[in-house]
Amino acid sequence: MSRNQSMTVLNPATLNSAENIDETPIYQIQQIYELSKSAFDTWKEKSVKERLSFIRKLKNVMFDRMDEIIEVIANDTGKVKVEAVTADVMPVLDAIAFLEKTAEKSLAARRVQTPAHFWGKKSYIEYMARGTVLVISPWNYPLQLAMVPMLNALIAGNSVILKPSEVTPLVGKYIEHLFMLAEFPKGLVQVAHGGKDVGAALTRGKPDYIFFTGSVATGKKIQEEASKALIPTTLELGGKDPILIFADANLDRAAKGAAWGAFTNSGQVCMSSERIYVEQSVYEEFLEKLQSETLMLKQGTDLNDDIGSMTYRGQIDVMKEQLEEAMAGGARLITGSIPRDWDLSQGLFIPPTIVVDVHQKMKLVQEETFGPVVTVMPFQSEEEAIELANDSIYGLNASVWSKDLKKAKRVVSKLVTGNAVINDVMISVVNHHLPFGGVKQSGIGKYHGKHGIRVFCHEKSVFLDRGKKNTEIQWYPYQNKYPKIRSFLKLLFRKKSKKSSRTS
């Protein structure tokens, strides 16, 4: 790759050219890692309180440039400004607030219990930064899904290299600008711009940890490369998230929630509600309500519009293939239009589409769509609803709707998913007190919460003795010790066993 190679940025909602951004030359990757390691050596020695002072300054910079940030996100992604502020900017500010309240305590040494037969000793866990963390972020929420893991890695004492998506490079460039304005130490936060070649070179550069958010296919490639050097990873991947709506649910609320869950950010959310299952007795009633809610949505770029454009043209081809296969198999649309009628000449706007008369084996039901398309199917029983929801290679999020909370909780407990919401959709991800991550092919590992800070640390186990005794009973010589040790163990564990039986 030459120094002069660049990416041309198009606004997907207007198809107007914005600017060109230079890609990071591959030959600079080694230098980036060297600078990152040098910065880490200094940063790790700072206290959590000192690190927080930089992050607070970053927060102030974001407040001062709020409108500018929102404009960049909207122009780069095609999403409406309401979604840019609520789903990209607000979660980052909320993450900072969470770190301000919890980081010092989360990273403090944590005392744990020591077995009774080691009387006089103490045990604790301390948290040690890993080193250089590589964050590879996606294009659907380009600020939030880059900044949140970056901030957690930084507060834990690591240096960070960010590889933002080449689909939304303006946001990646602006993130670089924000950290510069906040005057973070040189080399601590570096941004490498470019496509898959840059990402692959960064992965081969042997960071100390990789945090990737994106597709299953790319996640598998990263995991394969990371395994060669035993580099630990967090992989936040795709989803095909189900909504289960029971007959006793508040159908008006469920229809509004399902419409938002399916079409927010033009359906480009790993937790989009792509599969809706409705109890047969209220299927037609719910379908009518969902159709009504969907037909009221406004597409465009104005402040009062509801749905922006698609961000990545390549995803439109995926939607087209899935829809055409489904319609060939008997599916029909009750909102939206067939792919051959899509007009993409003025912007990447796909109308919100509800598909019925589908069956479970269709690609549209089994594969991630990542666009404003949702399927709706009936079910007969609670057991069938659970079976349909779990019939997926994914397990990221799920939504259960019922006024019977006992039933809703029972159903949630049987769903194979990393996250679940009752009588709402997707919202669990914005609670930074809850861990977030998927199961099955939706990913490996979790972040958010205290775990989201500690995942960027090594856990160091420490066993402490004051060092006053000259010897220990288990040390050499063993002469005449066996009877004493045997008697002590019988006394110790027999007492514990009797105590357990009395309390059971």
Side-chain angles (χ1 to χ4, degrees):
M1 184 184 298
S2 69
R3 181 185 296 274
N4 296 324
Q5 191 163 341
S6 64
M7 299 174 286
T8 301
V9 184
L10 293 179
N11 182 326
T14 64
L15 301 185
N16 293 329
S17 178
E19 62 178 273
N20 291 334
I21 291 180
D22 290 336
E23 294 192 21
T24 301
I26 299 297
Y27 66 78
Q28 285 187 2
I29 299 298
Q30 184 177 353
Q31 181 183 345
I32 288 172
Y33 272 105
E34 289 171 357
L35 190 57
S36 185
K37 184 182 185 306
S38 177
F40 165 68
D41 289 339
T42 302
W43 181 253
K44 70 180 180 181
E45 300 302 327
K46 293 186 182 295
S47 67
V48 176
K49 189 173 182 179
E50 288 176 300
R51 296 173 203 156
L52 275 172
S53 67
F54 285 90
I55 290 175
R56 287 193 181 98
K57 189 168 183 179
L58 177 69
K59 177 181 69 175
N60 292 334
V61 168
M62 290 184 66
F63 273 122
D64 291 343
R65 288 161 176 78
M66 182 79 69
D67 291 337
E68 192 172 297
I69 297 170
I70 293 165
E71 189 75 25
V72 171
I73 294 169
N75 289 339
D76 215 14
T77 62
K79 68 178 68 179
V80 295
K81 288 187 176 180
V82 169
E83 290 181 351
V85 68
T86 58
D88 254 307
V89 177
M90 190 170 71
V92 175
L93 295 174
D94 197 34
I96 292 175
F98 178 82
L99 294 178
E100 288 176 321
K101 293 177 183 177
T102 64
E104 288 188 87
K105 185 175 181 180
S106 297
L107 292 168
R110 178 165 57 96
R111 186 171 175 178
V112 296
Q113 189 172 339
T114 303
H117 49 284
F118 290 112
W119 183 82
K121 303 178 190 292
K122 293 182 180 180
S123 305
Y124 64 92
I125 299 167
E126 64 180 26
Y127 296 93
M128 178 177 65
R130 292 181 180 272
T132 293
V133 173
L134 172 61
V135 175
I136 304 177
S137 61
W139 47 262
N140 58 330
Y141 292 102
L143 186 79
Q144 179 206 155
L145 297 180
M147 293 281 276
V148 173
M150 289 174 73
L151 291 168
N152 279 273
L154 287 166
I155 198 65
N158 302 280
S159 57
V160 172
I161 300 170
L162 169 68
K163 209 298 281 185
S165 172
E166 68 276 18
V167 178
T168 49
L170 292 179
V171 177
K173 198 73 177 175
Y174 201 87
I175 289 172
E176 190 173 22
H177 183 57
L178 288 173
F179 279 98
M180 183 194 72
L181 291 174
E183 298 179 317
F184 273 66
K186 181 182 178 182
L188 185 67
V189 178
Q190 298 178 82
V191 182
H193 302 280
K196 61 182 181 181
D197 290 340
V198 173
L202 287 166
T203 304
R204 291 193 302 269
K206 296 183 180 179
D208 298 293
Y209 198 86
I210 300 175
F211 190 102
F212 170 77
T213 306
S215 70
V216 173
T218 304
K220 288 180 177 179
K221 291 177 182 176
I222 288 172
Q223 183 72 9
E224 181 180 4
E225 185 64 36
S227 68
K228 295 175 183 177
L230 294 180
I231 299 169
T233 62
T234 294
L235 304 179
E236 295 295 339
L237 308 178
K240 192 72 181 177
D241 295 347
I243 294 182
L244 306 184
I245 299 173
F246 288 91
D248 63 347
N250 179 339
L251 295 185
D252 290 323
R253 175 177 171 83
K256 289 180 180 292
W260 184 78
F263 303 128
T264 184
N265 200 33
S266 205
Q268 300 166 120
V269 190
C270 55
M271 296 179 298
S272 283
S273 305
E274 295 195 3
R275 299 181 289 149
I276 302 177
Y277 300 103
V278 187
E279 195 162 0
Q280 181 70 68
S281 61
V282 294
Y283 176 76
E284 294 296 340
E285 182 183 357
F286 171 81
L287 204 57
E288 185 178 326
K289 291 178 184 293
L290 178 62
Q291 183 185 39
S292 177
E293 290 291 336
T294 302
L295 291 173
M296 288 190 293
L297 299 175
K298 300 176 183 177
Q299 279 190 289
T301 58
D302 293 338
L303 285 176
N304 293 324
D305 288 332
D306 302 303
I307 303 177
S309 73
M310 296 285 287
T311 301
Y312 178 46
R313 185 182 285 271
Q315 201 61 35
I316 296 174
D317 296 331
V318 174
M319 294 169 52
K320 180 176 182 292
E321 179 191 351
Q322 292 181 6
L323 274 171
E324 288 178 342
E325 187 233 34
M327 289 186 294
R332 60 188 177 91
L333 314 185
I334 63 170
T335 68
S337 57
I338 60 177
R340 68 169 176 263
D341 291 338
W342 293 345
D343 180 8
L344 306 176
S345 61
Q346 304 299 315
L348 305 184
F349 289 94
I350 304 297
T353 304
I354 302 172
V355 188
V356 297
D357 296 343
V358 296
H359 61 74
Q360 192 69 7
K361 299 305 177 184
M362 288 177 171
K363 288 182 179 180
L364 192 61
V365 180
Q366 288 295 326
E367 298 179 6
E368 187 173 36
T369 304
F370 221 67
V373 179
V374 65
T375 62
V376 189
M377 291 174 59
F379 66 82
Q380 300 290 341
S381 65
E382 180 179 316
E383 292 72 23
E384 184 188 12
I386 293 167
E387 183 180 350
L388 289 169
N390 286 338
D391 181 21
S392 174
I393 63 171
Y394 299 103
L396 187 56
N397 206 345
S399 172
V400 177
W401 296 73
S402 173
K403 292 176 183 175
D404 183 348
L405 296 186
K406 184 177 179 180
K407 176 171 68 176
K409 291 179 180 179
R410 180 175 66 242
V411 171
V412 161
S413 70
K414 295 180 180 179
L415 297 178
V416 184
T417 182
N419 313 273
V421 185
I422 295 174
N423 293 321
D424 207 329
V425 287
M426 296 198 297
I427 203 70
S428 60
V429 69
V430 299
N431 182 355
H432 286 275
H433 295 270
L434 287 172
F436 176 78
V439 300
K440 297 193 278 188
Q441 292 199 32
S442 285
I444 298 173
K446 288 181 177 284
Y447 73 125
H448 290 186
K450 291 180 180 179
H451 179 79
I453 304 173
R454 292 172 177 169
V455 75
F456 294 107
C457 298
H458 293 289
E459 282 190 334
K460 184 185 296 181
S461 301
V462 182
F463 203 100
L464 180 149
D465 186 278
R466 295 184 182 277
K468 294 182 178 180
K469 293 188 296 180
N470 289 333
T471 189
E472 298 283 345
I473 192 170
Q474 73 274 15
W475 291 359
Y476 298 128
Y478 289 158
Q479 186 177 2
N480 299 325
K481 284 186 175 179
Y482 176 76
K484 295 177 183 178
I485 294 174
R486 187 174 180 278
S487 298
F488 173 71
L489 291 179
K490 288 177 67 176
L491 179 66
L492 177 66
F493 290 107
R494 183 175 293 165
K495 281 184 177 180
K496 284 189 175 183
S497 178
K498 287 181 178 178
K499 184 177 181 180
S500 298
S501 64
R502 287 196 300 270
T503 56
S504 61

